[in-house]
Every structure is written in structure tokens, then in C-alpha cells.
Amino acid sequence: MTRRPRRVVPAVIVALLLAGAAVLVAVSLIQRLTGTREWVSYDSVAARLHDTSWGSVWVLSAGIVVVVLGLALLAAAALPGKPVLLALEPGDGVDAGIARRSLRDALADAADGVDGLDKARVRLRRSKIHVTGHTHHTVERTAQEVGQAVATRLDRIKPAHVPRLRTSLRTIGHGGER
């Protein structure tokens, strides 16, 4: 049930580069056919390419840049991203899921309900949930209360895989100093 994001960014980058090159070639061709001054002169580009040898530093540099960009785009397209939808425990033969943002907001709401906790922030990782914030009380007591509140909310939501919970709290000093 875990749904992964679509790889829009690599596709948009490649599409924009190809569209830009196609527009440049089309404009240059139309300008050449109509006899007007060209933005990019075909003759100057052809002369420059004919004067460049395969052993040139420019050819090697351009080749390395193209290979690195190609590998980066392939890696971005092939490697899985963060799941957009997390699976919930199956019930009554129905598969269900929750969006990462919704789960994060629900856990942040549960943590915000703890007395004495200010500015709770929840980050979801693959194998853990990390809650950070500031407290007016002792860190240990508030951390336990945050852990209980988040665990209770997770029990109600029932994700298929329950990550470990980690809390990082700081005490707010008297007068609001941090």
C-alpha cells in the first residue's frame, strides 16, 4: 500500500533542456532561412566544432559534465523517494493508508496537547519518529508524557509499521530564556 512519489523533477529538467535546445535550433533555422541576423550563427558553431579535436580539454570537460548529469538524473529517477502514503494495518480485507503529512500533523497535535510543551515539531524518518520541542517542566517528565501521547495517537491510527519514537526536549529557563 505504500505509494512512492512520481519523479517529476528529473522529467521537468530534461524536458526544459530539450525544449530550450529545440527552440534555439528552430529560431536559428528560421533566421537563417529568412536571411536575418542569427542569434547563434550556424557557420560560427560549425567552424568552432571543426576546429576542436577529440583530445581537447573542452571535449573531455563537456563529456564529464554530461555523464555526471545523466547519472544524477538516472539515480533520481530510479531510486525510491520518501513514501507519500504510508500503509495502515489491514482491517476487514480493506487496504488503507495515510499521507505522511497527515500522520506528522496528527502526531504533532498529540504532542502539542502535552502540558508544558512549547513548539513541538515532529519529523518522520524511515525507522523513527523524532519529536523536538521546549518545555517549562523537567525534560524527563515531559518526554515521558510526549511519548505516551504520541504512542496513544499511533495506537488509534494503527500504521502497519510503527517506527521507534525519539524525543529531544530543551528546558525553557525562567523569564522565557532558552
Side-chain angles (χ1 to χ4, degrees), residues 29-67:
L29 178 63
I30 291 170
Q31 289 174 338
R32 185 169 177 89
L33 290 174
T34 59
T36 59
R37 185 173 173 271
E38 300 175 34
W39 283 350
V40 180
S41 171
Y42 170 79
D43 295 329
S44 66
V45 171
R48 175 76 179 201
L49 289 176
H50 286 293
D51 292 341
T52 304
S53 68
W54 284 105
S56 171
V57 174
W58 290 104
V59 172
L60 179 62
S61 301
I64 289 173
V65 167
V66 167
V67 167

PDB file of all heavy atoms in Angstrom, residues 29-67:
ATOM      1  N   LEU A  29      17.311  28.320 -37.347  1.00  0.00           N
ATOM      2  CA  LEU A  29      16.982  27.849 -38.689  1.00  0.00           C
ATOM      3  C   LEU A  29      16.078  28.849 -39.416  1.00  0.00           C
ATOM      4  O   LEU A  29      16.309  29.172 -40.588  1.00  0.00           O
ATOM      5  CB  LEU A  29      16.304  26.481 -38.618  1.00  0.00           C
ATOM      6  CG  LEU A  29      15.860  25.880 -39.953  1.00  0.00           C
ATOM      7  CD1 LEU A  29      17.064  25.617 -40.846  1.00  0.00           C
ATOM      8  CD2 LEU A  29      15.083  24.610 -39.733  1.00  0.00           C
ATOM      9  N   ILE A  30      15.068  29.351 -38.735  1.00  0.00           N
ATOM     10  CA  ILE A  30      14.156  30.336 -39.350  1.00  0.00           C
ATOM     11  C   ILE A  30      14.916  31.611 -39.699  1.00  0.00           C
ATOM     12  O   ILE A  30      14.737  32.177 -40.795  1.00  0.00           O
ATOM     13  CB  ILE A  30      12.970  30.619 -38.412  1.00  0.00           C
ATOM     14  CG1 ILE A  30      12.078  29.383 -38.322  1.00  0.00           C
ATOM     15  CG2 ILE A  30      12.171  31.827 -38.874  1.00  0.00           C
ATOM     16  CD1 ILE A  30      11.017  29.461 -37.239  1.00  0.00           C
ATOM     17  N   GLN A  31      15.795  32.062 -38.801  1.00  0.00           N
ATOM     18  CA  GLN A  31      16.581  33.260 -39.085  1.00  0.00           C
ATOM     19  C   GLN A  31      17.511  33.045 -40.271  1.00  0.00           C
ATOM     20  O   GLN A  31      17.700  33.938 -41.099  1.00  0.00           O
ATOM     21  CB  GLN A  31      17.384  33.677 -37.848  1.00  0.00           C
ATOM     22  CG  GLN A  31      16.532  34.250 -36.741  1.00  0.00           C
ATOM     23  CD  GLN A  31      17.324  34.510 -35.474  1.00  0.00           C
ATOM     24  OE1 GLN A  31      18.379  33.926 -35.240  1.00  0.00           O
ATOM     25  NE2 GLN A  31      16.792  35.400 -34.642  1.00  0.00           N
ATOM     26  N   ARG A  32      18.081  31.860 -40.373  1.00  0.00           N
ATOM     27  CA  ARG A  32      18.983  31.554 -41.494  1.00  0.00           C
ATOM     28  C   ARG A  32      18.204  31.509 -42.812  1.00  0.00           C
ATOM     29  O   ARG A  32      18.670  31.988 -43.838  1.00  0.00           O
ATOM     30  CB  ARG A  32      19.702  30.230 -41.245  1.00  0.00           C
ATOM     31  CG  ARG A  32      20.745  29.904 -42.292  1.00  0.00           C
ATOM     32  CD  ARG A  32      21.594  28.731 -41.829  1.00  0.00           C
ATOM     33  NE  ARG A  32      22.549  28.347 -42.813  1.00  0.00           N
ATOM     34  CZ  ARG A  32      23.769  28.844 -42.927  1.00  0.00           C
ATOM     35  NH1 ARG A  32      24.168  29.771 -42.090  1.00  0.00           N
ATOM     36  NH2 ARG A  32      24.593  28.423 -43.851  1.00  0.00           N
ATOM     37  N   LEU A  33      17.007  30.888 -42.784  1.00  0.00           N
ATOM     38  CA  LEU A  33      16.205  30.785 -43.994  1.00  0.00           C
ATOM     39  C   LEU A  33      15.669  32.139 -44.462  1.00  0.00           C
ATOM     40  O   LEU A  33      15.518  32.372 -45.665  1.00  0.00           O
ATOM     41  CB  LEU A  33      15.040  29.817 -43.785  1.00  0.00           C
ATOM     42  CG  LEU A  33      15.429  28.336 -43.662  1.00  0.00           C
ATOM     43  CD1 LEU A  33      14.198  27.499 -43.303  1.00  0.00           C
ATOM     44  CD2 LEU A  33      16.059  27.825 -44.939  1.00  0.00           C
ATOM     45  N   THR A  34      15.346  33.014 -43.521  1.00  0.00           N
ATOM     46  CA  THR A  34      14.813  34.328 -43.895  1.00  0.00           C
ATOM     47  C   THR A  34      15.907  35.344 -44.172  1.00  0.00           C
ATOM     48  O   THR A  34      15.617  36.451 -44.639  1.00  0.00           O
ATOM     49  CB  THR A  34      13.893  34.882 -42.791  1.00  0.00           C
ATOM     50  OG1 THR A  34      14.628  35.006 -41.572  1.00  0.00           O
ATOM     51  CG2 THR A  34      12.677  33.996 -42.605  1.00  0.00           C
ATOM     52  N   GLY A  35      17.144  35.015 -43.923  1.00  0.00           N
ATOM     53  CA  GLY A  35      18.257  35.903 -44.209  1.00  0.00           C
ATOM     54  C   GLY A  35      18.485  36.988 -43.171  1.00  0.00           C
ATOM     55  O   GLY A  35      19.256  37.918 -43.400  1.00  0.00           O
ATOM     56  N   THR A  36      17.839  36.891 -42.025  1.00  0.00           N
ATOM     57  CA  THR A  36      18.058  37.876 -40.968  1.00  0.00           C
ATOM     58  C   THR A  36      19.270  37.483 -40.126  1.00  0.00           C
ATOM     59  O   THR A  36      19.790  36.360 -40.244  1.00  0.00           O
ATOM     60  CB  THR A  36      16.826  37.996 -40.062  1.00  0.00           C
ATOM     61  OG1 THR A  36      16.561  36.725 -39.477  1.00  0.00           O
ATOM     62  CG2 THR A  36      15.612  38.473 -40.832  1.00  0.00           C
ATOM     63  N   ARG A  37      19.689  38.423 -39.272  1.00  0.00           N
ATOM     64  CA  ARG A  37      20.861  38.170 -38.419  1.00  0.00           C
ATOM     65  C   ARG A  37      20.506  37.067 -37.409  1.00  0.00           C
ATOM     66  O   ARG A  37      19.483  37.140 -36.717  1.00  0.00           O
ATOM     67  CB  ARG A  37      21.239  39.446 -37.683  1.00  0.00           C
ATOM     68  CG  ARG A  37      22.503  39.293 -36.881  1.00  0.00           C
ATOM     69  CD  ARG A  37      22.934  40.650 -36.315  1.00  0.00           C
ATOM     70  NE  ARG A  37      24.048  40.472 -35.429  1.00  0.00           N
ATOM     71  CZ  ARG A  37      23.953  40.224 -34.129  1.00  0.00           C
ATOM     72  NH1 ARG A  37      22.769  40.142 -33.570  1.00  0.00           N
ATOM     73  NH2 ARG A  37      25.022  40.075 -33.399  1.00  0.00           N
ATOM     74  N   GLU A  38      21.366  36.064 -37.295  1.00  0.00           N
ATOM     75  CA  GLU A  38      21.102  34.909 -36.426  1.00  0.00           C
ATOM     76  C   GLU A  38      21.579  35.171 -35.006  1.00  0.00           C
ATOM     77  O   GLU A  38      22.602  35.803 -34.795  1.00  0.00           O
ATOM     78  CB  GLU A  38      21.826  33.671 -36.970  1.00  0.00           C
ATOM     79  CG  GLU A  38      21.387  33.274 -38.372  1.00  0.00           C
ATOM     80  CD  GLU A  38      22.223  32.125 -38.918  1.00  0.00           C
ATOM     81  OE1 GLU A  38      22.629  31.254 -38.129  1.00  0.00           O
ATOM     82  OE2 GLU A  38      22.458  32.108 -40.125  1.00  0.00           O
ATOM     83  N   TRP A  39      20.802  34.672 -34.019  1.00  0.00           N
ATOM     84  CA  TRP A  39      21.251  34.739 -32.629  1.00  0.00           C
ATOM     85  C   TRP A  39      22.491  33.872 -32.449  1.00  0.00           C
ATOM     86  O   TRP A  39      23.462  34.298 -31.866  1.00  0.00           O
ATOM     87  CB  TRP A  39      20.178  34.211 -31.693  1.00  0.00           C
ATOM     88  CG  TRP A  39      19.046  35.141 -31.447  1.00  0.00           C
ATOM     89  CD1 TRP A  39      18.949  36.455 -31.804  1.00  0.00           C
ATOM     90  CD2 TRP A  39      17.844  34.827 -30.778  1.00  0.00           C
ATOM     91  NE1 TRP A  39      17.770  36.975 -31.401  1.00  0.00           N
ATOM     92  CE2 TRP A  39      17.052  35.982 -30.755  1.00  0.00           C
ATOM     93  CE3 TRP A  39      17.336  33.679 -30.195  1.00  0.00           C
ATOM     94  CZ2 TRP A  39      15.802  36.034 -30.168  1.00  0.00           C
ATOM     95  CZ3 TRP A  39      16.100  33.723 -29.611  1.00  0.00           C
ATOM     96  CH2 TRP A  39      15.334  34.885 -29.596  1.00  0.00           C
ATOM     97  N   VAL A  40      22.400  32.671 -32.945  1.00  0.00           N
ATOM     98  CA  VAL A  40      23.517  31.736 -32.904  1.00  0.00           C
ATOM     99  C   VAL A  40      23.823  31.372 -34.348  1.00  0.00           C
ATOM    100  O   VAL A  40      23.028  30.705 -35.013  1.00  0.00           O
ATOM    101  CB  VAL A  40      23.167  30.466 -32.097  1.00  0.00           C
ATOM    102  CG1 VAL A  40      24.341  29.502 -32.073  1.00  0.00           C
ATOM    103  CG2 VAL A  40      22.742  30.824 -30.682  1.00  0.00           C
ATOM    104  N   SER A  41      24.962  31.806 -34.801  1.00  0.00           N
ATOM    105  CA  SER A  41      25.329  31.587 -36.194  1.00  0.00           C
ATOM    106  C   SER A  41      25.732  30.130 -36.418  1.00  0.00           C
ATOM    107  O   SER A  41      26.598  29.595 -35.727  1.00  0.00           O
ATOM    108  CB  SER A  41      26.486  32.515 -36.570  1.00  0.00           C
ATOM    109  OG  SER A  41      26.991  32.172 -37.833  1.00  0.00           O
ATOM    110  N   TYR A  42      25.084  29.508 -37.393  1.00  0.00           N
ATOM    111  CA  TYR A  42      25.423  28.141 -37.732  1.00  0.00           C
ATOM    112  C   TYR A  42      26.872  28.044 -38.186  1.00  0.00           C
ATOM    113  O   TYR A  42      27.588  27.117 -37.820  1.00  0.00           O
ATOM    114  CB  TYR A  42      24.487  27.607 -38.830  1.00  0.00           C
ATOM    115  CG  TYR A  42      24.940  26.275 -39.381  1.00  0.00           C
ATOM    116  CD1 TYR A  42      24.691  25.106 -38.668  1.00  0.00           C
ATOM    117  CD2 TYR A  42      25.634  26.193 -40.586  1.00  0.00           C
ATOM    118  CE1 TYR A  42      25.112  23.890 -39.150  1.00  0.00           C
ATOM    119  CE2 TYR A  42      26.062  24.975 -41.073  1.00  0.00           C
ATOM    120  CZ  TYR A  42      25.805  23.818 -40.352  1.00  0.00           C
ATOM    121  OH  TYR A  42      26.235  22.619 -40.832  1.00  0.00           O
ATOM    122  N   ASP A  43      27.310  29.017 -38.985  1.00  0.00           N
ATOM    123  CA  ASP A  43      28.679  28.988 -39.516  1.00  0.00           C
ATOM    124  C   ASP A  43      29.715  29.074 -38.399  1.00  0.00           C
ATOM    125  O   ASP A  43      30.718  28.353 -38.426  1.00  0.00           O
ATOM    126  CB  ASP A  43      28.874  30.139 -40.513  1.00  0.00           C
ATOM    127  CG  ASP A  43      28.002  29.976 -41.750  1.00  0.00           C
ATOM    128  OD1 ASP A  43      27.730  28.816 -42.130  1.00  0.00           O
ATOM    129  OD2 ASP A  43      27.589  31.005 -42.312  1.00  0.00           O
ATOM    130  N   SER A  44      29.483  29.936 -37.407  1.00  0.00           N
ATOM    131  CA  SER A  44      30.452  30.059 -36.316  1.00  0.00           C
ATOM    132  C   SER A  44      30.468  28.801 -35.447  1.00  0.00           C
ATOM    133  O   SER A  44      31.534  28.363 -34.998  1.00  0.00           O
ATOM    134  CB  SER A  44      30.167  31.295 -35.470  1.00  0.00           C
ATOM    135  OG  SER A  44      28.929  31.155 -34.811  1.00  0.00           O
ATOM    136  N   VAL A  45      29.307  28.206 -35.212  1.00  0.00           N
ATOM    137  CA  VAL A  45      29.249  26.970 -34.424  1.00  0.00           C
ATOM    138  C   VAL A  45      29.936  25.836 -35.180  1.00  0.00           C
ATOM    139  O   VAL A  45      30.727  25.072 -34.609  1.00  0.00           O
ATOM    140  CB  VAL A  45      27.789  26.598 -34.090  1.00  0.00           C
ATOM    141  CG1 VAL A  45      27.706  25.203 -33.469  1.00  0.00           C
ATOM    142  CG2 VAL A  45      27.181  27.620 -33.155  1.00  0.00           C
ATOM    143  N   ALA A  46      29.664  25.727 -36.484  1.00  0.00           N
ATOM    144  CA  ALA A  46      30.292  24.669 -37.290  1.00  0.00           C
ATOM    145  C   ALA A  46      31.801  24.854 -37.357  1.00  0.00           C
ATOM    146  O   ALA A  46      32.561  23.875 -37.234  1.00  0.00           O
ATOM    147  CB  ALA A  46      29.685  24.661 -38.695  1.00  0.00           C
ATOM    148  N   ALA A  47      32.265  26.097 -37.531  1.00  0.00           N
ATOM    149  CA  ALA A  47      33.711  26.348 -37.577  1.00  0.00           C
ATOM    150  C   ALA A  47      34.368  26.000 -36.250  1.00  0.00           C
ATOM    151  O   ALA A  47      35.448  25.393 -36.213  1.00  0.00           O
ATOM    152  CB  ALA A  47      33.964  27.814 -37.933  1.00  0.00           C
ATOM    153  N   ARG A  48      33.713  26.369 -35.153  1.00  0.00           N
ATOM    154  CA  ARG A  48      34.269  26.074 -33.823  1.00  0.00           C
ATOM    155  C   ARG A  48      34.351  24.561 -33.591  1.00  0.00           C
ATOM    156  O   ARG A  48      35.337  24.053 -33.064  1.00  0.00           O
ATOM    157  CB  ARG A  48      33.369  26.724 -32.765  1.00  0.00           C
ATOM    158  CG  ARG A  48      33.721  26.434 -31.354  1.00  0.00           C
ATOM    159  CD  ARG A  48      34.913  27.211 -30.906  1.00  0.00           C
ATOM    160  NE  ARG A  48      35.188  26.895 -29.519  1.00  0.00           N
ATOM    161  CZ  ARG A  48      35.875  27.637 -28.740  1.00  0.00           C
ATOM    162  NH1 ARG A  48      36.384  28.766 -29.176  1.00  0.00           N
ATOM    163  NH2 ARG A  48      36.095  27.283 -27.510  1.00  0.00           N
ATOM    164  N   LEU A  49      33.305  23.821 -33.995  1.00  0.00           N
ATOM    165  CA  LEU A  49      33.316  22.368 -33.822  1.00  0.00           C
ATOM    166  C   LEU A  49      34.361  21.692 -34.706  1.00  0.00           C
ATOM    167  O   LEU A  49      34.993  20.715 -34.292  1.00  0.00           O
ATOM    168  CB  LEU A  49      31.927  21.791 -34.097  1.00  0.00           C
ATOM    169  CG  LEU A  49      30.858  22.097 -33.046  1.00  0.00           C
ATOM    170  CD1 LEU A  49      29.512  21.557 -33.493  1.00  0.00           C
ATOM    171  CD2 LEU A  49      31.238  21.519 -31.697  1.00  0.00           C
ATOM    172  N   HIS A  50      34.547  22.197 -35.931  1.00  0.00           N
ATOM    173  CA  HIS A  50      35.554  21.617 -36.827  1.00  0.00           C
ATOM    174  C   HIS A  50      36.965  21.880 -36.333  1.00  0.00           C
ATOM    175  O   HIS A  50      37.869  21.065 -36.566  1.00  0.00           O
ATOM    176  CB  HIS A  50      35.386  22.160 -38.255  1.00  0.00           C
ATOM    177  CG  HIS A  50      34.199  21.586 -38.964  1.00  0.00           C
ATOM    178  ND1 HIS A  50      34.112  20.267 -39.334  1.00  0.00           N
ATOM    179  CD2 HIS A  50      33.032  22.157 -39.363  1.00  0.00           C
ATOM    180  CE1 HIS A  50      32.958  20.034 -39.921  1.00  0.00           C
ATOM    181  NE2 HIS A  50      32.269  21.182 -39.953  1.00  0.00           N
ATOM    182  N   ASP A  51      37.166  22.993 -35.626  1.00  0.00           N
ATOM    183  CA  ASP A  51      38.497  23.323 -35.107  1.00  0.00           C
ATOM    184  C   ASP A  51      38.822  22.588 -33.810  1.00  0.00           C
ATOM    185  O   ASP A  51      39.976  22.530 -33.405  1.00  0.00           O
ATOM    186  CB  ASP A  51      38.606  24.834 -34.853  1.00  0.00           C
ATOM    187  CG  ASP A  51      38.594  25.630 -36.146  1.00  0.00           C
ATOM    188  OD1 ASP A  51      38.860  25.031 -37.215  1.00  0.00           O
ATOM    189  OD2 ASP A  51      38.305  26.849 -36.079  1.00  0.00           O
ATOM    190  N   THR A  52      37.818  22.015 -33.147  1.00  0.00           N
ATOM    191  CA  THR A  52      38.029  21.327 -31.873  1.00  0.00           C
ATOM    192  C   THR A  52      38.363  19.866 -32.134  1.00  0.00           C
ATOM    193  O   THR A  52      37.686  19.176 -32.888  1.00  0.00           O
ATOM    194  CB  THR A  52      36.752  21.416 -31.000  1.00  0.00           C
ATOM    195  OG1 THR A  52      36.396  22.784 -30.835  1.00  0.00           O
ATOM    196  CG2 THR A  52      36.975  20.798 -29.640  1.00  0.00           C
ATOM    197  N   SER A  53      39.431  19.380 -31.470  1.00  0.00           N
ATOM    198  CA  SER A  53      39.811  17.970 -31.629  1.00  0.00           C
ATOM    199  C   SER A  53      39.223  17.143 -30.486  1.00  0.00           C
ATOM    200  O   SER A  53      38.847  17.658 -29.444  1.00  0.00           O
ATOM    201  CB  SER A  53      41.334  17.838 -31.634  1.00  0.00           C
ATOM    202  OG  SER A  53      41.854  18.149 -30.350  1.00  0.00           O
ATOM    203  N   TRP A  54      39.159  15.832 -30.699  1.00  0.00           N
ATOM    204  CA  TRP A  54      38.603  14.943 -29.684  1.00  0.00           C
ATOM    205  C   TRP A  54      39.459  14.915 -28.426  1.00  0.00           C
ATOM    206  O   TRP A  54      38.970  14.605 -27.348  1.00  0.00           O
ATOM    207  CB  TRP A  54      38.467  13.523 -30.233  1.00  0.00           C
ATOM    208  CG  TRP A  54      37.307  13.387 -31.160  1.00  0.00           C
ATOM    209  CD1 TRP A  54      37.348  13.295 -32.517  1.00  0.00           C
ATOM    210  CD2 TRP A  54      35.929  13.358 -30.793  1.00  0.00           C
ATOM    211  NE1 TRP A  54      36.084  13.204 -33.027  1.00  0.00           N
ATOM    212  CE2 TRP A  54      35.184  13.237 -31.984  1.00  0.00           C
ATOM    213  CE3 TRP A  54      35.245  13.424 -29.598  1.00  0.00           C
ATOM    214  CZ2 TRP A  54      33.801  13.185 -31.998  1.00  0.00           C
ATOM    215  CZ3 TRP A  54      33.876  13.361 -29.613  1.00  0.00           C
ATOM    216  CH2 TRP A  54      33.159  13.245 -30.801  1.00  0.00           C
ATOM    217  N   GLY A  55      40.720  15.240 -28.533  1.00  0.00           N
ATOM    218  CA  GLY A  55      41.616  15.239 -27.375  1.00  0.00           C
ATOM    219  C   GLY A  55      41.599  16.553 -26.614  1.00  0.00           C
ATOM    220  O   GLY A  55      42.349  16.721 -25.662  1.00  0.00           O
ATOM    221  N   SER A  56      40.751  17.472 -26.989  1.00  0.00           N
ATOM    222  CA  SER A  56      40.692  18.787 -26.351  1.00  0.00           C
ATOM    223  C   SER A  56      40.160  18.686 -24.922  1.00  0.00           C
ATOM    224  O   SER A  56      39.345  17.825 -24.589  1.00  0.00           O
ATOM    225  CB  SER A  56      39.785  19.706 -27.172  1.00  0.00           C
ATOM    226  OG  SER A  56      39.537  20.901 -26.483  1.00  0.00           O
ATOM    227  N   VAL A  57      40.624  19.606 -24.083  1.00  0.00           N
ATOM    228  CA  VAL A  57      40.165  19.662 -22.697  1.00  0.00           C
ATOM    229  C   VAL A  57      38.675  20.013 -22.645  1.00  0.00           C
ATOM    230  O   VAL A  57      37.945  19.505 -21.789  1.00  0.00           O
ATOM    231  CB  VAL A  57      40.989  20.711 -21.912  1.00  0.00           C
ATOM    232  CG1 VAL A  57      40.450  20.907 -20.504  1.00  0.00           C
ATOM    233  CG2 VAL A  57      42.445  20.304 -21.854  1.00  0.00           C
ATOM    234  N   TRP A  58      38.202  20.843 -23.579  1.00  0.00           N
ATOM    235  CA  TRP A  58      36.792  21.229 -23.614  1.00  0.00           C
ATOM    236  C   TRP A  58      35.900  20.025 -23.894  1.00  0.00           C
ATOM    237  O   TRP A  58      34.825  19.890 -23.299  1.00  0.00           O
ATOM    238  CB  TRP A  58      36.548  22.303 -24.678  1.00  0.00           C
ATOM    239  CG  TRP A  58      37.148  23.612 -24.299  1.00  0.00           C
ATOM    240  CD1 TRP A  58      38.293  24.165 -24.797  1.00  0.00           C
ATOM    241  CD2 TRP A  58      36.658  24.525 -23.331  1.00  0.00           C
ATOM    242  NE1 TRP A  58      38.546  25.358 -24.203  1.00  0.00           N
ATOM    243  CE2 TRP A  58      37.539  25.621 -23.288  1.00  0.00           C
ATOM    244  CE3 TRP A  58      35.559  24.541 -22.494  1.00  0.00           C
ATOM    245  CZ2 TRP A  58      37.356  26.698 -22.450  1.00  0.00           C
ATOM    246  CZ3 TRP A  58      35.375  25.619 -21.651  1.00  0.00           C
ATOM    247  CH2 TRP A  58      36.271  26.682 -21.636  1.00  0.00           C
ATOM    248  N   VAL A  59      36.327  19.154 -24.793  1.00  0.00           N
ATOM    249  CA  VAL A  59      35.533  17.965 -25.115  1.00  0.00           C
ATOM    250  C   VAL A  59      35.479  17.025 -23.907  1.00  0.00           C
ATOM    251  O   VAL A  59      34.414  16.507 -23.557  1.00  0.00           O
ATOM    252  CB  VAL A  59      36.106  17.246 -26.357  1.00  0.00           C
ATOM    253  CG1 VAL A  59      35.413  15.918 -26.594  1.00  0.00           C
ATOM    254  CG2 VAL A  59      36.012  18.140 -27.576  1.00  0.00           C
ATOM    255  N   LEU A  60      36.628  16.836 -23.259  1.00  0.00           N
ATOM    256  CA  LEU A  60      36.674  15.978 -22.073  1.00  0.00           C
ATOM    257  C   LEU A  60      35.801  16.553 -20.953  1.00  0.00           C
ATOM    258  O   LEU A  60      35.030  15.824 -20.312  1.00  0.00           O
ATOM    259  CB  LEU A  60      38.116  15.816 -21.594  1.00  0.00           C
ATOM    260  CG  LEU A  60      38.325  14.965 -20.343  1.00  0.00           C
ATOM    261  CD1 LEU A  60      37.871  13.538 -20.599  1.00  0.00           C
ATOM    262  CD2 LEU A  60      39.769  15.016 -19.913  1.00  0.00           C
ATOM    263  N   SER A  61      35.907  17.861 -20.721  1.00  0.00           N
ATOM    264  CA  SER A  61      35.113  18.503 -19.669  1.00  0.00           C
ATOM    265  C   SER A  61      33.617  18.398 -19.958  1.00  0.00           C
ATOM    266  O   SER A  61      32.824  18.078 -19.063  1.00  0.00           O
ATOM    267  CB  SER A  61      35.488  19.971 -19.527  1.00  0.00           C
ATOM    268  OG  SER A  61      36.851  20.099 -19.218  1.00  0.00           O
ATOM    269  N   ALA A  62      33.230  18.683 -21.196  1.00  0.00           N
ATOM    270  CA  ALA A  62      31.820  18.595 -21.560  1.00  0.00           C
ATOM    271  C   ALA A  62      31.323  17.157 -21.416  1.00  0.00           C
ATOM    272  O   ALA A  62      30.198  16.921 -20.945  1.00  0.00           O
ATOM    273  CB  ALA A  62      31.597  19.094 -22.984  1.00  0.00           C
ATOM    274  N   GLY A  63      32.129  16.192 -21.802  1.00  0.00           N
ATOM    275  CA  GLY A  63      31.743  14.786 -21.662  1.00  0.00           C
ATOM    276  C   GLY A  63      31.545  14.388 -20.209  1.00  0.00           C
ATOM    277  O   GLY A  63      30.586  13.693 -19.872  1.00  0.00           O
ATOM    278  N   ILE A  64      32.439  14.841 -19.345  1.00  0.00           N
ATOM    279  CA  ILE A  64      32.315  14.514 -17.916  1.00  0.00           C
ATOM    280  C   ILE A  64      31.056  15.149 -17.335  1.00  0.00           C
ATOM    281  O   ILE A  64      30.311  14.506 -16.594  1.00  0.00           O
ATOM    282  CB  ILE A  64      33.577  14.972 -17.154  1.00  0.00           C
ATOM    283  CG1 ILE A  64      34.761  14.077 -17.523  1.00  0.00           C
ATOM    284  CG2 ILE A  64      33.351  14.952 -15.645  1.00  0.00           C
ATOM    285  CD1 ILE A  64      36.093  14.533 -16.977  1.00  0.00           C
ATOM    286  N   VAL A  65      30.788  16.401 -17.684  1.00  0.00           N
ATOM    287  CA  VAL A  65      29.593  17.087 -17.181  1.00  0.00           C
ATOM    288  C   VAL A  65      28.330  16.371 -17.640  1.00  0.00           C
ATOM    289  O   VAL A  65      27.399  16.140 -16.858  1.00  0.00           O
ATOM    290  CB  VAL A  65      29.590  18.572 -17.611  1.00  0.00           C
ATOM    291  CG1 VAL A  65      28.234  19.211 -17.381  1.00  0.00           C
ATOM    292  CG2 VAL A  65      30.676  19.332 -16.885  1.00  0.00           C
ATOM    293  N   VAL A  66      28.280  15.982 -18.902  1.00  0.00           N
ATOM    294  CA  VAL A  66      27.094  15.298 -19.426  1.00  0.00           C
ATOM    295  C   VAL A  66      26.905  13.939 -18.755  1.00  0.00           C
ATOM    296  O   VAL A  66      25.780  13.564 -18.400  1.00  0.00           O
ATOM    297  CB  VAL A  66      27.195  15.159 -20.967  1.00  0.00           C
ATOM    298  CG1 VAL A  66      26.156  14.202 -21.499  1.00  0.00           C
ATOM    299  CG2 VAL A  66      27.061  16.512 -21.621  1.00  0.00           C
ATOM    300  N   VAL A  67      27.986  13.202 -18.536  1.00  0.00           N
ATOM    301  CA  VAL A  67      27.884  11.898 -17.876  1.00  0.00           C
ATOM    302  C   VAL A  67      27.414  12.052 -16.433  1.00  0.00           C
ATOM    303  O   VAL A  67      26.540  11.309 -15.966  1.00  0.00           O
ATOM    304  CB  VAL A  67      29.236  11.148 -17.934  1.00  0.00           C
ATOM    305  CG1 VAL A  67      29.258   9.960 -16.994  1.00  0.00           C
ATOM    306  CG2 VAL A  67      29.519  10.692 -19.353  1.00  0.00           C
TER     307      VAL A  67
END
